Amino acid sequence: MVAAAIAGRIDDGFIGVCAITAFLLTLPVSSIAGLMDGYLARGLPTLLRASLTAAFGMTIAIGLILALFAIMFSPTVPPEVMNGALCAGLFLLLPMGMCSLLSNDNGNRQRRSIEPLCA
């Protein structure tokens, strides 16, 4: 969308609608996946936690797209929409897993303090 906005081939209103839609669709997905990632951080190794968070976020994204389509248009979802939802879910798989990996906080790191040590 940024490249299309710079090139100026697409109407600015359409780009704004796409940006708002992308924000509103990814906000609940990332917040729910973030809560689940924080819960899993207590007891699972990092790679397993990242994989589970990515799969969970993908499932939420697919479910959200299909639910919104069913609410707005028709209760039966055509195969084209199903394929689009699966592609959107797979597209979000990598960023969700990377966010989980990058938010890893190993408890064995020492935190620095600005207070002097008392003897």
Side-chain angles (χ1 to χ4, degrees):
M1 285 190 316
V2 172
I6 292 172
R9 291 184 228 142
I10 299 177
D11 184 27
D12 291 337
F14 177 72
I15 292 172
V17 167
C18 288
I20 291 170
T21 304
F23 172 74
L24 291 176
L25 287 177
T26 56
L27 181 67
V29 173
S30 60
S31 61
I32 292 170
L35 288 172
M36 196 212 60
D37 184 47
Y39 179 74
L40 292 177
R42 294 186 222 154
L44 290 179
T46 305
L47 290 176
L48 179 61
R49 178 175 56 98
S51 302
L52 285 174
T53 301
F56 189 70
M58 180 184 81
T59 306
I60 294 171
I62 292 171
L64 180 66
I65 291 171
L66 294 177
L68 288 176
F69 183 84
I71 289 171
M72 289 192 305
F73 298 111
S74 71
T76 58
V77 179
E80 294 84 14
V81 175
M82 181 66 81
N83 289 337
L86 289 174
C87 289
L90 288 174
F91 182 71
L92 288 174
L93 186 67
L94 183 64
M96 294 268 180
M98 288 304 295
C99 285
S100 178
L101 281 175
L102 293 175
S103 69
N104 185 27
D105 183 24
N106 294 331
N108 58 3
R109 283 189 266 161
Q110 289 184 346
R111 304 205 188 272
R112 300 199 184 269
S113 175
I114 60 171
E115 297 177 15
L117 294 174
C118 296

